[in-house]
Amino acid sequence: MKTYVSDIITCDVIKKLEAGQNYLIGSEMGSGKNYWVRNTLLPYTVENKQKVLLVVHRTAIKGQQTKYLQPFVEDCIRTFKGVGFEVRSYQSIEQIIKHGRSELIDEYDYIICDEAHYFVKDSIMNPNTVYFFEYLDNNDRAIKVFATGTYKSFSYLKWRNKLIYLKHADYNNSNVKEIYCYKDPILIESLIEEKISKGQKVVMIVGNKKTGQAFKERINAKSCFITAHHKECSEFLKIIEDNTFESDFLIATSLICEGVELKNSCVRTMVVDGIEDLEPIAQCPARVRDDEVVLFINQPTYQKLVNRSLKYESKLNLIDEFEQLGYLEYEQKYGYETIHQSHDFLLTSQRQFANRAENELIIKLNPCVVANYKYQYDMYQKMIELGFDHALKEYFPRAVIYN
């Protein structure tokens, strides 16, 4: 039986949450996370004259969330109550903190972080995630709530105040009924064209733009390829505004993996190619909100899994060495240029002294990147030990998996 967020985190539970603590909501697809925010949390905070900051991971999703909350805003205005909440993107908050303006967000009683795995998963491409993480870690005024359907990577973060689980995700509620692990791209091309010929729409999530472009050129269908650099295209805007799209074959990078909802879209088939990370794989089919889907995954070779594991093991060895040597000896051994260019798990800054002509270089670990590498290493080790198809069972326990 499915359990919804509102069933577990009632007003009585909210009343007992403590300032400064970190709470996690494991919210699998369809568990009513947004419904809880609009119908339980915000009515409670409005009545108690408390301020809420809702944080989303992309600007486009901010617009989607604002639209979803508009009826609540109109009701507050109609009944002469203060709205009492604000929706912001992670990136905008990172810039506020980075530029020393954290007082702008100090006033909130609740900080709700949606798709909270963002702190870890985006840390390689965006090292600024650490600014908001450290701000939250040291914030003893607000009640901090983190919501995500895939929180294994997030659990690797080290908090001053231990993470408290309010709800665990139940992956038995996944909408994936069958998974086919494939190796031959020619076969998957034929399957995509067959599904489209029968009136279905197919969504494909790719690990890189080269793969996506190749499939777009080879598949004979009305298609669209959405990337982070083309997120203003009409198809992506239609997905954000109406939760549907016009193309028969929609290809996207991981841009579409989080926060996006597809409804009444005739999508029954999803393909994942070039992505081994289990969390985005689990996020992909969760975009389809109104039906079950069949998932096709390009299975990585055993050697590729081994190579990935060795890559992250090497990174973790360097992290251990940094902790043993300290930043001064580590910088002397590797040099600033090497650290700045290739040791992305380190943060560098300058410390100024009034009585010195030169600034002192400060180097420290980026806890978000460190968490990412530890998660990645453990995940690939699990795939090597169990096999890729067996590792998928963590997120798709009910699905029949064909290798």
Side-chain angles (χ1 to χ4, degrees):
M1 183 176 177
K2 192 164 192 172
T3 303
Y4 294 92
V5 175
S6 297
D7 296 333
I8 297 176
I9 311 172
T10 62
C11 288
D12 287 338
V13 173
I14 295 172
K15 192 182 302 183
K16 296 176 183 177
L17 301 183
E18 298 179 7
Q21 297 301 317
N22 306 303
Y23 299 96
L24 178 71
I25 300 176
S27 52
E28 76 279 6
M29 180 199 76
S31 60
K33 173 189 60 182
N34 288 329
Y35 181 90
W36 172 77
V37 169
R38 187 173 73 176
N39 294 281
T40 303
L41 176 68
L42 291 181
Y44 174 87
T45 56
V46 166
E47 287 297 325
N48 289 277
K49 297 180 172 52
Q50 295 172 308
K51 298 192 68 175
V52 179
L53 175 63
L54 301 172
V55 190
V56 297
H57 71 303
R58 299 191 194 281
T59 303
I61 305 303
K62 175 187 173 184
Q64 189 180 59
Q65 186 70 276
T66 301
K67 179 181 177 181
Y68 180 79
L69 292 170
Q70 188 59 32
F72 177 80
V73 173
E74 293 172 356
D75 184 63
C76 287
I77 294 172
R78 187 169 55 252
T79 55
F80 302 101
K81 297 176 181 178
V83 174
F85 76 89
E86 184 177 7
V87 182
R88 283 183 174 269
S89 68
Y90 282 104
Q91 294 81 7
S92 68
I93 293 177
E94 289 160 4
Q95 291 305 311
I96 287 172
I97 298 169
K98 184 177 180 179
H99 291 95
R101 301 295 306 279
S102 61
E103 71 275 3
L104 296 176
I105 56 174
D106 285 343
E107 60 186 0
Y108 294 100
D109 301 290
Y110 292 80
I111 300 177
I112 314 298
C113 296
D114 194 16
E115 307 291 357
H117 52 273
Y118 164 86
F119 287 99
V120 176
K121 303 314 286 289
D122 278 43
S123 62
I124 306 299
M125 296 298 294
N126 177 20
N128 289 334
T129 63
V130 72
Y131 290 108
F132 192 24
F133 165 72
E134 291 184 337
Y135 170 84
L136 291 170
D137 195 31
N138 291 294
N139 185 322
D140 292 323
R141 182 189 185 282
I143 294 168
K144 297 159 287 183
V145 179
F146 304 92
T148 172
T150 51
Y151 46 89
K152 176 64 75 66
S153 61
F154 182 79
S155 69
Y156 280 75
L157 286 170
K158 303 298 182 184
W159 299 90
R160 285 193 309 118
N161 294 329
K162 186 179 178 181
L163 198 61
I164 299 170
Y165 288 72
L166 296 178
K167 179 184 180 299
H168 288 275
D170 184 356
Y171 299 120
N172 285 298
N173 295 319
S174 168
N175 63 334
V176 177
K177 59 181 180 180
E178 294 178 338
I179 298 175
Y180 293 86
C181 298
Y182 72 90
K183 296 180 181 179
D184 188 350
I186 302 300
L187 291 177
I188 205 66
E189 289 174 19
S190 301
L191 180 134
I192 291 170
E193 291 181 340
E194 177 189 347
K195 297 292 184 184
I196 292 172
S197 70
K198 293 180 179 179
Q200 290 189 30
K201 293 178 182 289
V202 177
V203 174
M204 183 178 202
I205 310 299
V206 294
N208 59 74
K209 289 187 284 188
K210 183 178 179 181
T211 299
Q213 190 59 42
F215 271 94
K216 185 177 187 301
E217 293 171 358
R218 292 199 297 263
I219 298 296
N220 183 26
K222 182 182 178 182
S223 60
C224 177
F225 183 24
I226 301 174
T227 70
H229 298 293
H230 298 92
K231 57 188 177 184
E232 298 303 321
C233 72
S234 59
E235 284 286 56
F236 186 65
L237 294 177
K238 188 172 180 61
I239 290 171
I240 295 300
E241 294 172 5
D242 302 327
N243 306 123
T244 188
F245 57 93
E246 297 291 341
S247 301
D248 296 318
F249 183 36
L250 180 70
I251 315 164
T253 56
S254 58
L255 168 73
I256 205 173
C257 281
E258 298 158 347
V260 171
E261 296 182 0
L262 297 174
K263 298 178 180 177
N264 303 316
S265 56
C266 296
V267 176
R268 304 294 176 266
T269 303
M270 294 197 75
V271 183
V272 177
D273 195 297
I275 299 175
E276 298 90 37
D277 191 333
L278 296 177
E279 289 194 341
I281 290 175
Q283 289 279 353
C284 290
R287 301 310 101 216
V288 179
R289 297 291 177 162
D290 53 6
D291 210 338
E292 291 186 327
V293 299
V294 177
L295 184 61
F296 293 83
I297 304 175
N298 187 349
Q299 180 172 341
T301 63
Y302 178 81
Q303 189 57 53
K304 186 171 186 178
L305 297 178
V306 171
N307 291 343
R308 295 285 193 192
S309 176
L310 291 173
K311 169 188 172 181
Y312 291 111
E313 182 179 27
S314 175
K315 295 282 190 181
L316 293 178
N317 288 338
L318 286 172
I319 291 169
D320 288 340
E321 184 179 14
F322 176 84
E323 291 182 316
Q324 291 170 9
L325 294 178
Y327 79 88
L328 289 175
E329 288 188 43
Y330 192 89
E331 193 270 335
Q332 291 173 358
K333 179 176 180 178
Y334 290 100
Y336 175 77
E337 288 302 321
T338 298
I339 291 172
H340 185 69
Q341 292 175 10
S342 60
H343 295 200
D344 53 3
F345 51 86
L346 293 174
L347 296 167
T348 57
S349 61
Q350 300 281 339
R351 179 186 292 172
Q352 295 181 331
F353 293 92
N355 57 347
R356 292 188 193 175
E358 295 183 354
N359 296 334
E360 180 183 357
L361 177 67
I362 301 296
I363 305 173
K364 67 176 185 177
L365 290 171
N366 182 328
C368 297
V369 176
V370 171
N372 187 310
Y373 286 154
K374 288 181 177 180
Y375 159 76
Q376 295 282 354
Y377 175 75
D378 287 347
M379 180 191 66
Y380 282 109
Q381 282 295 107
K382 181 178 180 179
M383 290 180 185
I384 291 169
E385 293 168 9
L386 300 180
F388 179 75
D389 51 341
H390 283 83
L392 289 170
K393 279 291 185 180
E394 179 177 357
Y395 294 101
F396 307 104
R398 287 195 312 117
V400 180
I401 301 177
Y402 300 94
N403 191 346

